[in-house]
PDB file of all heavy atoms in Angstrom:
ATOM      1  N   ASN A 233      -5.592 -13.049   3.092  1.00  0.00           N
ATOM      2  CA  ASN A 233      -4.429 -14.094   3.167  1.00  0.00           C
ATOM      3  C   ASN A 233      -3.912 -14.377   1.803  1.00  0.00           C
ATOM      4  O   ASN A 233      -3.672 -15.575   1.429  1.00  0.00           O
ATOM      5  CB  ASN A 233      -5.210 -15.393   3.776  1.00  0.00           C
ATOM      6  CG  ASN A 233      -5.749 -15.255   5.097  1.00  0.00           C
ATOM      7  OD1 ASN A 233      -4.958 -14.748   5.929  1.00  0.00           O
ATOM      8  ND2 ASN A 233      -6.852 -15.637   5.295  1.00  0.00           N
ATOM      9  N   VAL A 234      -3.449 -13.342   1.062  1.00  0.00           N
ATOM     10  CA  VAL A 234      -2.764 -13.542  -0.126  1.00  0.00           C
ATOM     11  C   VAL A 234      -1.343 -12.912   0.180  1.00  0.00           C
ATOM     12  O   VAL A 234      -1.252 -11.692   0.399  1.00  0.00           O
ATOM     13  CB  VAL A 234      -3.467 -12.862  -1.348  1.00  0.00           C
ATOM     14  CG1 VAL A 234      -2.585 -12.749  -2.591  1.00  0.00           C
ATOM     15  CG2 VAL A 234      -4.720 -13.441  -1.666  1.00  0.00           C
ATOM     16  N   PRO A 235      -0.231 -13.739   0.116  1.00  0.00           N
ATOM     17  CA  PRO A 235       1.013 -13.112   0.261  1.00  0.00           C
ATOM     18  C   PRO A 235       1.428 -12.159  -0.920  1.00  0.00           C
ATOM     19  O   PRO A 235       0.979 -12.286  -2.049  1.00  0.00           O
ATOM     20  CB  PRO A 235       1.946 -14.343   0.249  1.00  0.00           C
ATOM     21  CG  PRO A 235       1.255 -15.425  -0.416  1.00  0.00           C
ATOM     22  CD  PRO A 235      -0.230 -15.059  -0.309  1.00  0.00           C
ATOM     23  N   VAL A 236       2.340 -11.098  -0.601  1.00  0.00           N
ATOM     24  CA  VAL A 236       2.716 -10.063  -1.563  1.00  0.00           C
ATOM     25  C   VAL A 236       4.320 -10.015  -1.520  1.00  0.00           C
ATOM     26  O   VAL A 236       4.757 -10.163  -0.452  1.00  0.00           O
ATOM     27  CB  VAL A 236       2.070  -8.640  -1.156  1.00  0.00           C
ATOM     28  CG1 VAL A 236       2.658  -7.641  -2.142  1.00  0.00           C
ATOM     29  CG2 VAL A 236       0.584  -8.724  -1.192  1.00  0.00           C
ATOM     30  N   ARG A 237       4.783  -9.879  -2.679  1.00  0.00           N
ATOM     31  CA  ARG A 237       6.196  -9.707  -2.778  1.00  0.00           C
ATOM     32  C   ARG A 237       6.596  -8.235  -3.302  1.00  0.00           C
ATOM     33  O   ARG A 237       5.752  -7.646  -3.871  1.00  0.00           O
ATOM     34  CB  ARG A 237       6.826 -10.762  -3.705  1.00  0.00           C
ATOM     35  CG  ARG A 237       6.986 -12.120  -3.067  1.00  0.00           C
ATOM     36  CD  ARG A 237       7.782 -13.056  -3.823  1.00  0.00           C
ATOM     37  NE  ARG A 237       8.148 -14.367  -3.091  1.00  0.00           N
ATOM     38  CZ  ARG A 237       8.810 -15.241  -3.673  1.00  0.00           C
ATOM     39  NH1 ARG A 237       9.391 -15.161  -4.860  1.00  0.00           N
ATOM     40  NH2 ARG A 237       9.181 -16.320  -2.864  1.00  0.00           N
ATOM     41  N   ASP A 238       7.896  -7.897  -3.099  1.00  0.00           N
ATOM     42  CA  ASP A 238       8.191  -6.600  -3.387  1.00  0.00           C
ATOM     43  C   ASP A 238       8.437  -6.491  -4.873  1.00  0.00           C
ATOM     44  O   ASP A 238       8.922  -7.526  -5.592  1.00  0.00           O
ATOM     45  CB  ASP A 238       9.600  -6.210  -2.782  1.00  0.00           C
ATOM     46  CG  ASP A 238       9.551  -6.098  -1.272  1.00  0.00           C
ATOM     47  OD1 ASP A 238       8.378  -5.942  -0.686  1.00  0.00           O
ATOM     48  OD2 ASP A 238      10.465  -6.383  -0.535  1.00  0.00           O
ATOM     49  N   THR A 239       8.309  -5.215  -5.531  1.00  0.00           N
ATOM     50  CA  THR A 239       8.801  -5.002  -6.821  1.00  0.00           C
ATOM     51  C   THR A 239       9.375  -3.656  -6.581  1.00  0.00           C
ATOM     52  O   THR A 239       8.977  -2.829  -5.956  1.00  0.00           O
ATOM     53  CB  THR A 239       7.720  -5.014  -7.882  1.00  0.00           C
ATOM     54  OG1 THR A 239       8.324  -4.898  -9.192  1.00  0.00           O
ATOM     55  CG2 THR A 239       6.729  -3.825  -7.618  1.00  0.00           C
ATOM     56  N   ALA A 240      10.592  -3.534  -7.473  1.00  0.00           N
ATOM     57  CA  ALA A 240      11.323  -2.156  -7.265  1.00  0.00           C
ATOM     58  C   ALA A 240      10.838  -0.892  -8.060  1.00  0.00           C
ATOM     59  O   ALA A 240      10.019  -1.018  -8.938  1.00  0.00           O
ATOM     60  CB  ALA A 240      12.724  -2.487  -7.857  1.00  0.00           C
ATOM     61  N   PHE A 241      11.014   0.126  -7.391  1.00  0.00           N
ATOM     62  CA  PHE A 241      10.754   1.416  -8.055  1.00  0.00           C
ATOM     63  C   PHE A 241      11.934   1.542  -9.114  1.00  0.00           C
ATOM     64  O   PHE A 241      12.896   2.216  -8.918  1.00  0.00           O
ATOM     65  CB  PHE A 241      11.007   2.506  -7.005  1.00  0.00           C
ATOM     66  CG  PHE A 241       9.653   2.849  -6.238  1.00  0.00           C
ATOM     67  CD1 PHE A 241       9.642   2.973  -4.897  1.00  0.00           C
ATOM     68  CD2 PHE A 241       8.460   3.045  -6.905  1.00  0.00           C
ATOM     69  CE1 PHE A 241       8.603   3.254  -4.139  1.00  0.00           C
ATOM     70  CE2 PHE A 241       7.200   3.235  -6.035  1.00  0.00           C
ATOM     71  CZ  PHE A 241       7.249   3.401  -4.750  1.00  0.00           C
ATOM     72  N   ASP A 242      11.684   0.842 -10.272  1.00  0.00           N
ATOM     73  CA  ASP A 242      12.723   0.884 -11.274  1.00  0.00           C
ATOM     74  C   ASP A 242      12.499   1.893 -12.280  1.00  0.00           C
ATOM     75  O   ASP A 242      13.218   1.882 -13.439  1.00  0.00           O
ATOM     76  CB  ASP A 242      12.853  -0.520 -11.840  1.00  0.00           C
ATOM     77  CG  ASP A 242      11.534  -1.058 -12.550  1.00  0.00           C
ATOM     78  OD1 ASP A 242      10.669  -0.266 -12.595  1.00  0.00           O
ATOM     79  OD2 ASP A 242      11.579  -2.244 -12.947  1.00  0.00           O
ATOM     80  N   GLY A 243      11.621   2.853 -12.249  1.00  0.00           N
ATOM     81  CA  GLY A 243      11.274   3.773 -13.070  1.00  0.00           C
ATOM     82  C   GLY A 243      10.560   3.452 -14.306  1.00  0.00           C
ATOM     83  O   GLY A 243      10.398   4.122 -15.421  1.00  0.00           O
ATOM     84  N   ARG A 244       9.858   2.335 -14.205  1.00  0.00           N
ATOM     85  CA  ARG A 244       9.235   1.665 -15.504  1.00  0.00           C
ATOM     86  C   ARG A 244       7.830   2.200 -15.721  1.00  0.00           C
ATOM     87  O   ARG A 244       7.316   1.948 -16.764  1.00  0.00           O
ATOM     88  CB  ARG A 244       9.182   0.067 -15.257  1.00  0.00           C
ATOM     89  CG  ARG A 244       8.788  -0.580 -16.438  1.00  0.00           C
ATOM     90  CD  ARG A 244       9.078  -2.024 -16.264  1.00  0.00           C
ATOM     91  NE  ARG A 244       8.522  -2.825 -17.320  1.00  0.00           N
ATOM     92  CZ  ARG A 244       8.884  -4.087 -17.659  1.00  0.00           C
ATOM     93  NH1 ARG A 244       9.795  -4.643 -16.962  1.00  0.00           N
ATOM     94  NH2 ARG A 244       8.180  -4.599 -18.645  1.00  0.00           N
ATOM     95  N   SER A 245       7.239   2.798 -14.669  1.00  0.00           N
ATOM     96  CA  SER A 245       5.914   3.246 -14.950  1.00  0.00           C
ATOM     97  C   SER A 245       5.771   4.817 -14.418  1.00  0.00           C
ATOM     98  O   SER A 245       6.707   5.406 -13.941  1.00  0.00           O
ATOM     99  CB  SER A 245       4.864   2.305 -14.320  1.00  0.00           C
ATOM    100  OG  SER A 245       3.606   2.719 -14.636  1.00  0.00           O
ATOM    101  N   ASP A 246       4.402   5.319 -14.270  1.00  0.00           N
ATOM    102  CA  ASP A 246       4.218   6.679 -14.153  1.00  0.00           C
ATOM    103  C   ASP A 246       4.355   7.214 -12.681  1.00  0.00           C
ATOM    104  O   ASP A 246       4.407   8.477 -12.568  1.00  0.00           O
ATOM    105  CB  ASP A 246       2.842   6.971 -14.640  1.00  0.00           C
ATOM    106  CG  ASP A 246       2.554   6.838 -15.960  1.00  0.00           C
ATOM    107  OD1 ASP A 246       3.275   7.512 -16.723  1.00  0.00           O
ATOM    108  OD2 ASP A 246       1.772   5.951 -16.356  1.00  0.00           O
ATOM    109  N   TYR A 247       4.816   6.388 -11.745  1.00  0.00           N
ATOM    110  CA  TYR A 247       5.355   6.912 -10.485  1.00  0.00           C
ATOM    111  C   TYR A 247       6.675   7.617 -10.607  1.00  0.00           C
ATOM    112  O   TYR A 247       6.977   8.335  -9.814  1.00  0.00           O
ATOM    113  CB  TYR A 247       5.440   5.794  -9.485  1.00  0.00           C
ATOM    114  CG  TYR A 247       6.407   4.629  -9.885  1.00  0.00           C
ATOM    115  CD1 TYR A 247       7.807   4.857  -9.911  1.00  0.00           C
ATOM    116  CD2 TYR A 247       5.819   3.510 -10.403  1.00  0.00           C
ATOM    117  CE1 TYR A 247       8.627   3.796 -10.443  1.00  0.00           C
ATOM    118  CE2 TYR A 247       6.715   2.451 -10.915  1.00  0.00           C
ATOM    119  CZ  TYR A 247       7.986   2.650 -10.881  1.00  0.00           C
ATOM    120  OH  TYR A 247       8.863   1.661 -11.410  1.00  0.00           O
ATOM    121  N   GLY A 248       7.484   7.331 -11.657  1.00  0.00           N
ATOM    122  CA  GLY A 248       8.828   7.779 -11.922  1.00  0.00           C
ATOM    123  C   GLY A 248       8.936   9.320 -11.785  1.00  0.00           C
ATOM    124  O   GLY A 248       9.789   9.796 -10.913  1.00  0.00           O
TER     125      GLY A 248
END
Side-chain angles (χ1 to χ4, degrees):
N233 297 315
V234 174
V236 175
R237 284 193 167 179
D238 296 337
T239 190
F241 278 128
D242 58 10
R244 189 170 172 163
S245 193
D246 291 299
Y247 54 78

